[in-house]
Amino acid sequence: QKCAFKCSYAKINGKDVDVLKDPITDPGKKSKKGRLTLEKQGGKWVTVAEGKGSATNDELVDIFLNGKLLVDDTLADIRARSNGEVKPVSIPKIIAPRIEDPFHNILMLTDSYKVTHHLQYPPGTTKIYSYFESRGGAYEDVCFFGLQYFIKQYLTGPVVTMEKIDAAEAYFKIHFSHPVWGYDEKLFNRKSWEHIVNKHGGKLPISIKAVPEGTVVPYKNVLFTMENTDPECFWLTNYLETLLVEVWYPTTVCTQSREQKKIIAKYLKDTGSSDVIEKGLHLFKLHDFGYRGVSSVESAATGGLGHLVNFMGTDTMAALIMAKKFYGEDYAGFSIPASEHSTMTSWGREGELDAMRNMLTQYPKGLVACVSDSFDVFQACEKYWGTELKSMIEKRDGVLVVRPDSGELPQIVLDVLTKLESRFGSTKTSTGHKVLPPCIRVIQGDGIDINSLEMILNAMSKAGWGADNLAFGSGGALLQKLHRDTQKCAFKC
């Protein structure tokens, strides 16, 4: 659905400023300007921009203010609205305390139908042994990662309590009820869960064996196994399938990220920049931009850290937390100061040069990245970076990284490199490929997935450009453009 979050208004020195971006390389990315209202006009929804809307007719309602929740809708009202009914928003009656971890009940972390499976195994069953594998998929080599997080977070210690059993049963009595046949008490295996509390102190009687995380194994091989250690809990092995199969996600991110590292390394070698690999700088050639593109903070953490198995550049800070808390690593990934469109366009079209100068002034040394396509990326490269600010860039103790964020791939990358070379010059590697001077580089963060990454590097090589000129940023494609069947992950008895 091309979801995005853009700045459209600012107050600067007491003055109202309508903000927009309007890149010549992609008119479809032109943003709305000024304060906005959402109104119904002639039966149609219309966004009114530039502060010209009517506050009276605005369908946007205040839902949160200064730490206070102002609206607390019920699912019933939301369902009604989705069916076209008009429902006023619900005002919270009491401000409830934050619910710290409503999902931390192991009895509930499964598919509903598994609650009933204790009744379905053959009489006399005492052991269920199951395994997890990648049955095939896009990449032959699988880099296994993420199981340790799920074990530490959900399985370790006394995770079953009488309170959690009661809470789960309350859900099940409603969830499995029927208007004609009612609720069947034997559907929920309460006795066995109580057995886990009474005999095992709430600890799960299971055994897991797994290939060490980070091991690269060809697909169609077992990655981990699980079995019950208490004969009365044979049903527990596959009850936990739902939760533990989620390891498909960090494993698949890790696997695909590793494939991209192989592609980058190949083109660095082929275009005469093996020294980049020798210095370990290739580990910063694919930066994780994916935090906003995933479905949850947990997905950002597990997928983001899967990427950091292979690289060391990230803006997904949830991955850093996971690395420290669950994998004993304080220095999992790194980032640099970088602009976004709001920090550039708030200066206005006429102030773009000043905005760029400000980036160099605020960060007088080290790496700094600046999005440069807010209006005209070619003017930015030739006139602003390449003329007005050229001396500052060349004298800086560091590297300016220019970021185009629109335009057709791979041409936009080639065009930006050419424009920068026309002002800054270039040298040649041992293979005859051109490289910009060390003070300036490019990062492409728009439209990057494993296919476009290789396409761009290939086009650069054919056009005589070395791979070291470019780094990549990948967002939704890195952490979200994949699914369980990418590597055909499954858990089977």
Side-chain angles (χ1 to χ4, degrees), residues 106-107 126-129 154-160 189 191-208 226-240:
I106 194 67
L107 284 78
T126 58
K127 177 75 72 174
I128 293 294
Y129 174 96
Y154 297 108
L155 304 187
T156 303
V159 298
V160 184
N189 195 9
K191 181 180 177 182
S192 293
W193 285 108
E194 290 178 343
H195 170 77
I196 292 174
V197 173
N198 296 327
K199 183 174 180 179
H200 301 285
K203 296 178 182 178
L204 298 173
I206 57 169
S207 172
I208 299 174
M226 180 162 58
E227 61 186 305
N228 58 292
T229 58
D230 182 334
E232 294 189 32
C233 297
F234 61 88
W235 52 271
L236 183 58
T237 303
N238 275 47
Y239 196 97
L240 299 174

mmCIF file of all heavy atoms in Angstrom, residues 106-107 126-129 154-160 189 191-208 226-240:
data_model
loop_
_atom_site.group_PDB
_atom_site.id
_atom_site.type_symbol
_atom_site.label_atom_id
_atom_site.label_comp_id
_atom_site.label_asym_id
_atom_site.label_seq_id
_atom_site.Cartn_x
_atom_site.Cartn_y
_atom_site.Cartn_z
ATOM 1 N N ILE A 106 2.595 -19.141 27.976
ATOM 2 C CA ILE A 106 2.969 -20.193 27.042
ATOM 3 C C ILE A 106 1.768 -21.012 26.584
ATOM 4 O O ILE A 106 1.764 -21.562 25.477
ATOM 5 C CB ILE A 106 4.057 -21.101 27.655
ATOM 6 C CG1 ILE A 106 4.714 -21.985 26.587
ATOM 7 C CG2 ILE A 106 3.487 -21.935 28.789
ATOM 8 C CD1 ILE A 106 5.515 -21.228 25.584
ATOM 9 N N LEU A 107 0.726 -21.083 27.403
ATOM 10 C CA LEU A 107 -0.464 -21.846 27.021
ATOM 11 C C LEU A 107 -1.178 -21.219 25.835
ATOM 12 O O LEU A 107 -1.878 -21.909 25.079
ATOM 13 C CB LEU A 107 -1.445 -21.954 28.193
ATOM 14 C CG LEU A 107 -1.109 -22.948 29.308
ATOM 15 C CD1 LEU A 107 -0.050 -22.386 30.243
ATOM 16 C CD2 LEU A 107 -2.364 -23.299 30.104
ATOM 17 N N THR A 126 3.596 -42.046 24.432
ATOM 18 C CA THR A 126 4.386 -41.475 25.524
ATOM 19 C C THR A 126 5.494 -40.553 25.022
ATOM 20 O O THR A 126 6.117 -39.856 25.824
ATOM 21 C CB THR A 126 5.031 -42.593 26.372
ATOM 22 O OG1 THR A 126 5.852 -43.410 25.517
ATOM 23 C CG2 THR A 126 3.970 -43.446 27.053
ATOM 24 N N LYS A 127 5.787 -40.568 23.733
ATOM 25 C CA LYS A 127 6.886 -39.766 23.201
ATOM 26 C C LYS A 127 6.506 -39.209 21.823
ATOM 27 O O LYS A 127 6.017 -39.944 20.964
ATOM 28 C CB LYS A 127 8.139 -40.619 23.051
ATOM 29 C CG LYS A 127 9.345 -39.928 22.442
ATOM 30 C CD LYS A 127 10.038 -38.979 23.407
ATOM 31 C CE LYS A 127 10.788 -39.731 24.494
ATOM 32 N NZ LYS A 127 11.580 -38.805 25.353
ATOM 33 N N ILE A 128 6.724 -37.911 21.651
ATOM 34 C CA ILE A 128 6.605 -37.276 20.335
ATOM 35 C C ILE A 128 7.925 -36.549 20.072
ATOM 36 O O ILE A 128 8.348 -35.697 20.855
ATOM 37 C CB ILE A 128 5.425 -36.294 20.271
ATOM 38 C CG1 ILE A 128 4.104 -37.039 20.392
ATOM 39 C CG2 ILE A 128 5.473 -35.487 18.966
ATOM 40 C CD1 ILE A 128 3.784 -37.971 19.227
ATOM 41 N N TYR A 129 8.545 -36.921 18.976
ATOM 42 C CA TYR A 129 9.835 -36.355 18.560
ATOM 43 C C TYR A 129 9.621 -35.686 17.210
ATOM 44 O O TYR A 129 9.185 -36.328 16.255
ATOM 45 C CB TYR A 129 10.848 -37.487 18.452
ATOM 46 C CG TYR A 129 12.210 -37.129 17.889
ATOM 47 C CD1 TYR A 129 13.272 -36.829 18.731
ATOM 48 C CD2 TYR A 129 12.445 -37.134 16.510
ATOM 49 C CE1 TYR A 129 14.537 -36.548 18.217
ATOM 50 C CE2 TYR A 129 13.694 -36.845 15.980
ATOM 51 C CZ TYR A 129 14.738 -36.557 16.845
ATOM 52 O OH TYR A 129 15.982 -36.268 16.339
ATOM 53 N N TYR A 154 10.825 -17.292 25.945
ATOM 54 C CA TYR A 154 9.526 -17.925 26.178
ATOM 55 C C TYR A 154 9.571 -19.266 26.911
ATOM 56 O O TYR A 154 8.557 -19.666 27.491
ATOM 57 C CB TYR A 154 8.809 -18.130 24.835
ATOM 58 C CG TYR A 154 8.484 -16.855 24.115
ATOM 59 C CD1 TYR A 154 9.190 -16.476 22.964
ATOM 60 C CD2 TYR A 154 7.471 -16.003 24.572
ATOM 61 C CE1 TYR A 154 8.884 -15.301 22.285
ATOM 62 C CE2 TYR A 154 7.169 -14.824 23.907
ATOM 63 C CZ TYR A 154 7.885 -14.484 22.765
ATOM 64 O OH TYR A 154 7.580 -13.322 22.105
ATOM 65 N N LEU A 155 10.685 -19.983 26.867
ATOM 66 C CA LEU A 155 10.683 -21.351 27.364
ATOM 67 C C LEU A 155 11.467 -21.563 28.656
ATOM 68 O O LEU A 155 11.230 -22.546 29.364
ATOM 69 C CB LEU A 155 11.252 -22.304 26.294
ATOM 70 C CG LEU A 155 10.591 -22.307 24.918
ATOM 71 C CD1 LEU A 155 11.189 -23.415 24.073
ATOM 72 C CD2 LEU A 155 9.075 -22.457 25.020
ATOM 73 N N THR A 156 12.396 -20.701 28.964
ATOM 74 C CA THR A 156 13.314 -20.934 30.073
ATOM 75 C C THR A 156 12.669 -20.657 31.431
ATOM 76 O O THR A 156 11.973 -19.657 31.604
ATOM 77 C CB THR A 156 14.567 -20.061 29.912
ATOM 78 O OG1 THR A 156 15.161 -20.343 28.650
ATOM 79 C CG2 THR A 156 15.586 -20.346 31.001
ATOM 80 N N GLY A 157 12.925 -21.564 32.377
ATOM 81 C CA GLY A 157 12.457 -21.372 33.750
ATOM 82 C C GLY A 157 11.016 -21.805 33.937
ATOM 83 O O GLY A 157 10.409 -22.455 33.079
ATOM 84 N N PRO A 158 10.439 -21.450 35.080
ATOM 85 C CA PRO A 158 9.049 -21.841 35.384
ATOM 86 C C PRO A 158 8.049 -20.975 34.626
ATOM 87 O O PRO A 158 7.592 -19.939 35.122
ATOM 88 C CB PRO A 158 8.946 -21.628 36.899
ATOM 89 C CG PRO A 158 9.964 -20.580 37.206
ATOM 90 C CD PRO A 158 11.085 -20.766 36.217
ATOM 91 N N VAL A 159 7.694 -21.374 33.422
ATOM 92 C CA VAL A 159 6.835 -20.555 32.566
ATOM 93 C C VAL A 159 5.358 -20.922 32.699
ATOM 94 O O VAL A 159 4.499 -20.221 32.155
ATOM 95 C CB VAL A 159 7.265 -20.655 31.088
ATOM 96 C CG1 VAL A 159 8.680 -20.134 30.913
ATOM 97 C CG2 VAL A 159 7.158 -22.084 30.579
ATOM 98 N N VAL A 160 5.053 -22.018 33.399
ATOM 99 C CA VAL A 160 3.658 -22.417 33.613
ATOM 100 C C VAL A 160 3.300 -22.193 35.075
ATOM 101 O O VAL A 160 4.009 -22.635 35.975
ATOM 102 C CB VAL A 160 3.438 -23.909 33.245
ATOM 103 C CG1 VAL A 160 1.959 -24.267 33.376
ATOM 104 C CG2 VAL A 160 3.936 -24.200 31.834
ATOM 105 N N ASN A 189 -6.639 -29.329 28.128
ATOM 106 C CA ASN A 189 -5.886 -30.340 28.865
ATOM 107 C C ASN A 189 -5.384 -29.785 30.200
ATOM 108 O O ASN A 189 -4.192 -29.798 30.498
ATOM 109 C CB ASN A 189 -4.696 -30.806 28.001
ATOM 110 C CG ASN A 189 -4.058 -32.077 28.497
ATOM 111 O OD1 ASN A 189 -4.582 -32.737 29.389
ATOM 112 N ND2 ASN A 189 -2.926 -32.424 27.909
ATOM 113 N N LYS A 191 -5.524 -30.830 33.256
ATOM 114 C CA LYS A 191 -4.858 -31.771 34.157
ATOM 115 C C LYS A 191 -3.367 -31.881 33.849
ATOM 116 O O LYS A 191 -2.518 -31.907 34.764
ATOM 117 C CB LYS A 191 -5.527 -33.143 34.054
ATOM 118 C CG LYS A 191 -4.917 -34.199 34.965
ATOM 119 C CD LYS A 191 -5.640 -35.536 34.795
ATOM 120 C CE LYS A 191 -4.985 -36.625 35.654
ATOM 121 N NZ LYS A 191 -5.659 -37.943 35.469
ATOM 122 N N SER A 192 -3.029 -31.952 32.573
ATOM 123 C CA SER A 192 -1.620 -32.090 32.198
ATOM 124 C C SER A 192 -0.828 -30.808 32.459
ATOM 125 O O SER A 192 0.350 -30.861 32.839
ATOM 126 C CB SER A 192 -1.508 -32.489 30.727
ATOM 127 O OG SER A 192 -2.011 -33.795 30.533
ATOM 128 N N TRP A 193 -1.449 -29.669 32.250
ATOM 129 C CA TRP A 193 -0.759 -28.413 32.564
ATOM 130 C C TRP A 193 -0.530 -28.299 34.075
ATOM 131 O O TRP A 193 0.536 -27.850 34.515
ATOM 132 C CB TRP A 193 -1.557 -27.219 32.053
ATOM 133 C CG TRP A 193 -1.464 -27.033 30.560
ATOM 134 C CD1 TRP A 193 -2.429 -27.272 29.641
ATOM 135 C CD2 TRP A 193 -0.319 -26.577 29.827
ATOM 136 N NE1 TRP A 193 -1.982 -27.001 28.376
ATOM 137 C CE2 TRP A 193 -0.678 -26.565 28.449
ATOM 138 C CE3 TRP A 193 0.967 -26.177 30.178
ATOM 139 C CZ2 TRP A 193 0.193 -26.167 27.444
ATOM 140 C CZ3 TRP A 193 1.847 -25.788 29.179
ATOM 141 C CH2 TRP A 193 1.470 -25.778 27.825
ATOM 142 N N GLU A 194 -1.501 -28.718 34.855
ATOM 143 C CA GLU A 194 -1.314 -28.718 36.308
ATOM 144 C C GLU A 194 -0.214 -29.702 36.709
ATOM 145 O O GLU A 194 0.543 -29.460 37.655
ATOM 146 C CB GLU A 194 -2.626 -29.067 37.004
ATOM 147 C CG GLU A 194 -3.667 -27.967 36.903
ATOM 148 C CD GLU A 194 -4.985 -28.339 37.563
ATOM 149 O OE1 GLU A 194 -5.209 -29.552 37.817
ATOM 150 O OE2 GLU A 194 -5.794 -27.423 37.827
ATOM 151 N N HIS A 195 -0.114 -30.812 35.976
ATOM 152 C CA HIS A 195 0.955 -31.782 36.216
ATOM 153 C C HIS A 195 2.323 -31.120 36.023
ATOM 154 O O HIS A 195 3.268 -31.380 36.794
ATOM 155 C CB HIS A 195 0.787 -32.962 35.248
ATOM 156 C CG HIS A 195 1.940 -33.903 35.217
ATOM 157 N ND1 HIS A 195 2.162 -34.843 36.208
ATOM 158 C CD2 HIS A 195 2.961 -34.055 34.312
ATOM 159 C CE1 HIS A 195 3.252 -35.536 35.916
ATOM 160 N NE2 HIS A 195 3.750 -35.078 34.768
ATOM 161 N N ILE A 196 2.453 -30.265 35.003
ATOM 162 C CA ILE A 196 3.717 -29.572 34.766
ATOM 163 C C ILE A 196 4.046 -28.648 35.939
ATOM 164 O O ILE A 196 5.203 -28.549 36.370
ATOM 165 C CB ILE A 196 3.662 -28.789 33.436
ATOM 166 C CG1 ILE A 196 3.593 -29.769 32.255
ATOM 167 C CG2 ILE A 196 4.865 -27.860 33.284
ATOM 168 C CD1 ILE A 196 3.388 -29.110 30.905
ATOM 169 N N VAL A 197 3.039 -27.990 36.480
ATOM 170 C CA VAL A 197 3.263 -27.135 37.648
ATOM 171 C C VAL A 197 3.661 -27.972 38.857
ATOM 172 O O VAL A 197 4.653 -27.687 39.545
ATOM 173 C CB VAL A 197 2.001 -26.305 37.963
ATOM 174 C CG1 VAL A 197 2.183 -25.537 39.274
ATOM 175 C CG2 VAL A 197 1.697 -25.328 36.831
ATOM 176 N N ASN A 198 2.910 -29.026 39.138
ATOM 177 C CA ASN A 198 3.116 -29.802 40.358
ATOM 178 C C ASN A 198 4.372 -30.667 40.324
ATOM 179 O O ASN A 198 5.086 -30.794 41.324
ATOM 180 C CB ASN A 198 1.888 -30.683 40.622
ATOM 181 C CG ASN A 198 0.642 -29.852 40.886
ATOM 182 O OD1 ASN A 198 0.726 -28.759 41.451
ATOM 183 N ND2 ASN A 198 -0.518 -30.348 40.466
ATOM 184 N N LYS A 199 4.666 -31.282 39.182
ATOM 185 C CA LYS A 199 5.816 -32.178 39.102
ATOM 186 C C LYS A 199 7.097 -31.469 38.680
ATOM 187 O O LYS A 199 8.193 -31.802 39.152
ATOM 188 C CB LYS A 199 5.531 -33.325 38.139
ATOM 189 C CG LYS A 199 6.679 -34.336 38.071
ATOM 190 C CD LYS A 199 6.337 -35.544 37.225
ATOM 191 C CE LYS A 199 7.521 -36.524 37.204
ATOM 192 N NZ LYS A 199 7.229 -37.738 36.405
ATOM 193 N N HIS A 200 6.968 -30.471 37.800
ATOM 194 C CA HIS A 200 8.169 -29.856 37.224
ATOM 195 C C HIS A 200 8.354 -28.399 37.655
ATOM 196 O O HIS A 200 9.239 -27.714 37.124
ATOM 197 C CB HIS A 200 8.116 -29.937 35.700
ATOM 198 C CG HIS A 200 8.023 -31.336 35.179
ATOM 199 N ND1 HIS A 200 9.085 -32.211 35.160
ATOM 200 C CD2 HIS A 200 6.960 -32.029 34.674
ATOM 201 C CE1 HIS A 200 8.710 -33.371 34.654
ATOM 202 N NE2 HIS A 200 7.416 -33.294 34.350
ATOM 203 N N GLY A 201 7.549 -27.945 38.580
ATOM 204 C CA GLY A 201 7.695 -26.567 39.056
ATOM 205 C C GLY A 201 7.428 -25.533 37.988
ATOM 206 O O GLY A 201 7.942 -24.411 38.053
ATOM 207 N N GLY A 202 6.613 -25.901 36.992
ATOM 208 C CA GLY A 202 6.274 -24.966 35.923
ATOM 209 C C GLY A 202 7.268 -24.953 34.785
ATOM 210 O O GLY A 202 7.098 -24.203 33.814
ATOM 211 N N LYS A 203 8.327 -25.769 34.875
ATOM 212 C CA LYS A 203 9.303 -25.832 33.780
ATOM 213 C C LYS A 203 8.838 -26.849 32.741
ATOM 214 O O LYS A 203 8.291 -27.895 33.091
ATOM 215 C CB LYS A 203 10.677 -26.215 34.326
ATOM 216 C CG LYS A 203 11.255 -25.170 35.288
ATOM 217 C CD LYS A 203 12.605 -25.618 35.844
ATOM 218 C CE LYS A 203 13.148 -24.590 36.826
ATOM 219 N NZ LYS A 203 14.442 -25.026 37.420
ATOM 220 N N LEU A 204 9.091 -26.550 31.489
ATOM 221 C CA LEU A 204 8.593 -27.390 30.402
ATOM 222 C C LEU A 204 9.448 -28.648 30.255
ATOM 223 O O LEU A 204 10.668 -28.544 30.018
ATOM 224 C CB LEU A 204 8.600 -26.605 29.082
ATOM 225 C CG LEU A 204 7.712 -25.359 29.046
ATOM 226 C CD1 LEU A 204 7.946 -24.590 27.751
ATOM 227 C CD2 LEU A 204 6.246 -25.732 29.189
ATOM 228 N N PRO A 205 8.852 -29.836 30.351
ATOM 229 C CA PRO A 205 9.598 -31.091 30.225
ATOM 230 C C PRO A 205 9.842 -31.460 28.760
ATOM 231 O O PRO A 205 9.225 -32.371 28.199
ATOM 232 C CB PRO A 205 8.695 -32.098 30.924
ATOM 233 C CG PRO A 205 7.317 -31.581 30.707
ATOM 234 C CD PRO A 205 7.434 -30.083 30.716
ATOM 235 N N ILE A 206 10.748 -30.724 28.139
ATOM 236 C CA ILE A 206 11.093 -30.964 26.741
ATOM 237 C C ILE A 206 12.610 -30.917 26.580
ATOM 238 O O ILE A 206 13.324 -30.311 27.394
ATOM 239 C CB ILE A 206 10.453 -29.948 25.777
ATOM 240 C CG1 ILE A 206 10.854 -28.523 26.154
ATOM 241 C CG2 ILE A 206 8.952 -30.104 25.721
ATOM 242 C CD1 ILE A 206 10.495 -27.493 25.125
ATOM 243 N N SER A 207 13.097 -31.515 25.517
ATOM 244 C CA SER A 207 14.513 -31.480 25.169
ATOM 245 C C SER A 207 14.635 -30.994 23.734
ATOM 246 O O SER A 207 13.928 -31.466 22.847
ATOM 247 C CB SER A 207 15.111 -32.881 25.303
ATOM 248 O OG SER A 207 16.434 -32.918 24.790
ATOM 249 N N ILE A 208 15.543 -30.054 23.523
ATOM 250 C CA ILE A 208 15.776 -29.494 22.183
ATOM 251 C C ILE A 208 17.242 -29.683 21.820
ATOM 252 O O ILE A 208 18.132 -29.360 22.614
ATOM 253 C CB ILE A 208 15.410 -27.999 22.125
ATOM 254 C CG1 ILE A 208 13.929 -27.792 22.456
ATOM 255 C CG2 ILE A 208 15.739 -27.421 20.751
ATOM 256 C CD1 ILE A 208 13.525 -26.333 22.566
ATOM 257 N N MET A 226 12.996 -31.611 18.711
ATOM 258 C CA MET A 226 12.396 -31.406 20.027
ATOM 259 C C MET A 226 11.606 -32.649 20.407
ATOM 260 O O MET A 226 10.955 -33.268 19.562
ATOM 261 C CB MET A 226 11.487 -30.172 20.021
ATOM 262 C CG MET A 226 10.820 -29.874 21.355
ATOM 263 S SD MET A 226 10.175 -28.186 21.482
ATOM 264 C CE MET A 226 9.036 -28.133 20.101
ATOM 265 N N GLU A 227 11.675 -33.015 21.683
ATOM 266 C CA GLU A 227 10.904 -34.144 22.181
ATOM 267 C C GLU A 227 10.544 -33.901 23.639
ATOM 268 O O GLU A 227 11.216 -33.143 24.350
ATOM 269 C CB GLU A 227 11.691 -35.442 22.049
ATOM 270 C CG GLU A 227 12.999 -35.477 22.817
ATOM 271 C CD GLU A 227 13.796 -36.738 22.535
ATOM 272 O OE1 GLU A 227 13.229 -37.829 22.722
ATOM 273 O OE2 GLU A 227 14.970 -36.610 22.136
ATOM 274 N N ASN A 228 9.496 -34.574 24.087
ATOM 275 C CA ASN A 228 9.103 -34.470 25.492
ATOM 276 C C ASN A 228 9.974 -35.387 26.337
ATOM 277 O O ASN A 228 10.431 -36.442 25.895
ATOM 278 C CB ASN A 228 7.636 -34.839 25.660
ATOM 279 C CG ASN A 228 7.318 -36.236 25.159
ATOM 280 O OD1 ASN A 228 7.379 -36.476 23.960
ATOM 281 N ND2 ASN A 228 6.974 -37.153 26.073
ATOM 282 N N THR A 229 10.204 -34.994 27.586
ATOM 283 C CA THR A 229 10.995 -35.815 28.514
ATOM 284 C C THR A 229 10.133 -36.455 29.597
ATOM 285 O O THR A 229 10.636 -37.252 30.381
ATOM 286 C CB THR A 229 12.090 -34.962 29.176
ATOM 287 O OG1 THR A 229 11.483 -33.853 29.865
ATOM 288 C CG2 THR A 229 13.067 -34.422 28.127
ATOM 289 N N ASP A 230 8.858 -36.100 29.639
ATOM 290 C CA ASP A 230 7.901 -36.699 30.573
ATOM 291 C C ASP A 230 6.850 -37.423 29.739
ATOM 292 O O ASP A 230 6.178 -36.802 28.908
ATOM 293 C CB ASP A 230 7.251 -35.602 31.425
ATOM 294 C CG ASP A 230 6.277 -36.128 32.465
ATOM 295 O OD1 ASP A 230 5.707 -37.229 32.261
ATOM 296 O OD2 ASP A 230 6.066 -35.446 33.483
ATOM 297 N N PRO A 231 6.683 -38.749 29.937
ATOM 298 C CA PRO A 231 5.726 -39.508 29.122
ATOM 299 C C PRO A 231 4.309 -38.957 29.151
ATOM 300 O O PRO A 231 3.559 -39.117 28.185
ATOM 301 C CB PRO A 231 5.777 -40.915 29.735
ATOM 302 C CG PRO A 231 7.096 -40.988 30.423
ATOM 303 C CD PRO A 231 7.389 -39.596 30.913
ATOM 304 N N GLU A 232 3.942 -38.293 30.253
ATOM 305 C CA GLU A 232 2.588 -37.740 30.341
ATOM 306 C C GLU A 232 2.426 -36.467 29.515
ATOM 307 O O GLU A 232 1.306 -35.979 29.348
ATOM 308 C CB GLU A 232 2.231 -37.469 31.809
ATOM 309 C CG GLU A 232 2.116 -38.734 32.662
ATOM 310 C CD GLU A 232 1.542 -38.451 34.039
ATOM 311 O OE1 GLU A 232 0.697 -37.521 34.142
ATOM 312 O OE2 GLU A 232 1.931 -39.140 34.986
ATOM 313 N N CYS A 233 3.554 -35.958 29.003
ATOM 314 C CA CYS A 233 3.506 -34.685 28.264
ATOM 315 C C CYS A 233 3.895 -34.872 26.796
ATOM 316 O O CYS A 233 4.492 -33.990 26.165
ATOM 317 C CB CYS A 233 4.425 -33.664 28.928
ATOM 318 S SG CYS A 233 3.925 -33.229 30.607
ATOM 319 N N PHE A 234 3.546 -36.014 26.236
ATOM 320 C CA PHE A 234 3.822 -36.301 24.821
ATOM 321 C C PHE A 234 3.210 -35.256 23.897
ATOM 322 O O PHE A 234 3.725 -34.966 22.817
ATOM 323 C CB PHE A 234 3.288 -37.699 24.461
ATOM 324 C CG PHE A 234 1.796 -37.838 24.640
ATOM 325 C CD1 PHE A 234 0.923 -37.519 23.610
ATOM 326 C CD2 PHE A 234 1.262 -38.259 25.857
ATOM 327 C CE1 PHE A 234 -0.445 -37.630 23.777
ATOM 328 C CE2 PHE A 234 -0.116 -38.365 26.024
ATOM 329 C CZ PHE A 234 -0.978 -38.049 24.983
ATOM 330 N N TRP A 235 2.095 -34.696 24.299
ATOM 331 C CA TRP A 235 1.355 -33.713 23.497
ATOM 332 C C TRP A 235 2.053 -32.354 23.422
ATOM 333 O O TRP A 235 1.739 -31.521 22.567
ATOM 334 C CB TRP A 235 -0.040 -33.499 24.108
ATOM 335 C CG TRP A 235 0.066 -33.177 25.579
ATOM 336 C CD1 TRP A 235 0.077 -34.075 26.606
ATOM 337 C CD2 TRP A 235 0.260 -31.888 26.162
ATOM 338 N NE1 TRP A 235 0.248 -33.426 27.812
ATOM 339 C CE2 TRP A 235 0.362 -32.076 27.561
ATOM 340 C CE3 TRP A 235 0.352 -30.597 25.662
ATOM 341 C CZ2 TRP A 235 0.564 -31.029 28.468
ATOM 342 C CZ3 TRP A 235 0.537 -29.545 26.535
ATOM 343 C CH2 TRP A 235 0.642 -29.774 27.925
ATOM 344 N N LEU A 236 3.023 -32.133 24.337
ATOM 345 C CA LEU A 236 3.634 -30.808 24.477
ATOM 346 C C LEU A 236 4.560 -30.468 23.309
ATOM 347 O O LEU A 236 4.663 -29.308 22.925
ATOM 348 C CB LEU A 236 4.405 -30.730 25.800
ATOM 349 C CG LEU A 236 5.064 -29.399 26.164
ATOM 350 C CD1 LEU A 236 4.036 -28.271 26.213
ATOM 351 C CD2 LEU A 236 5.811 -29.516 27.486
ATOM 352 N N THR A 237 5.217 -31.473 22.745
ATOM 353 C CA THR A 237 6.194 -31.218 21.677
ATOM 354 C C THR A 237 5.583 -30.380 20.555
ATOM 355 O O THR A 237 6.087 -29.301 20.209
ATOM 356 C CB THR A 237 6.711 -32.547 21.102
ATOM 357 O OG1 THR A 237 7.280 -33.320 22.160
ATOM 358 C CG2 THR A 237 7.748 -32.307 20.028
ATOM 359 N N ASN A 238 4.500 -30.857 19.989
ATOM 360 C CA ASN A 238 3.922 -30.139 18.860
ATOM 361 C C ASN A 238 2.995 -29.002 19.283
ATOM 362 O O ASN A 238 2.612 -28.174 18.453
ATOM 363 C CB ASN A 238 3.206 -31.113 17.925
ATOM 364 C CG ASN A 238 4.184 -31.732 16.938
ATOM 365 O OD1 ASN A 238 5.265 -32.179 17.329
ATOM 366 N ND2 ASN A 238 3.829 -31.749 15.664
ATOM 367 N N TYR A 239 2.668 -28.933 20.578
ATOM 368 C CA TYR A 239 1.971 -27.756 21.095
ATOM 369 C C TYR A 239 2.872 -26.524 20.926
ATOM 370 O O TYR A 239 2.392 -25.414 20.673
ATOM 371 C CB TYR A 239 1.645 -27.977 22.575
ATOM 372 C CG TYR A 239 0.613 -27.032 23.150
ATOM 373 C CD1 TYR A 239 -0.720 -27.417 23.250
ATOM 374 C CD2 TYR A 239 0.961 -25.753 23.608
ATOM 375 C CE1 TYR A 239 -1.683 -26.566 23.800
ATOM 376 C CE2 TYR A 239 0.009 -24.901 24.153
ATOM 377 C CZ TYR A 239 -1.314 -25.308 24.239
ATOM 378 O OH TYR A 239 -2.263 -24.462 24.777
ATOM 379 N N LEU A 240 4.189 -26.751 21.050
ATOM 380 C CA LEU A 240 5.157 -25.649 20.975
ATOM 381 C C LEU A 240 5.597 -25.339 19.545
ATOM 382 O O LEU A 240 6.385 -24.429 19.318
ATOM 383 C CB LEU A 240 6.378 -25.975 21.833
ATOM 384 C CG LEU A 240 6.099 -26.168 23.329
ATOM 385 C CD1 LEU A 240 7.363 -26.636 24.040
ATOM 386 C CD2 LEU A 240 5.576 -24.882 23.959
#
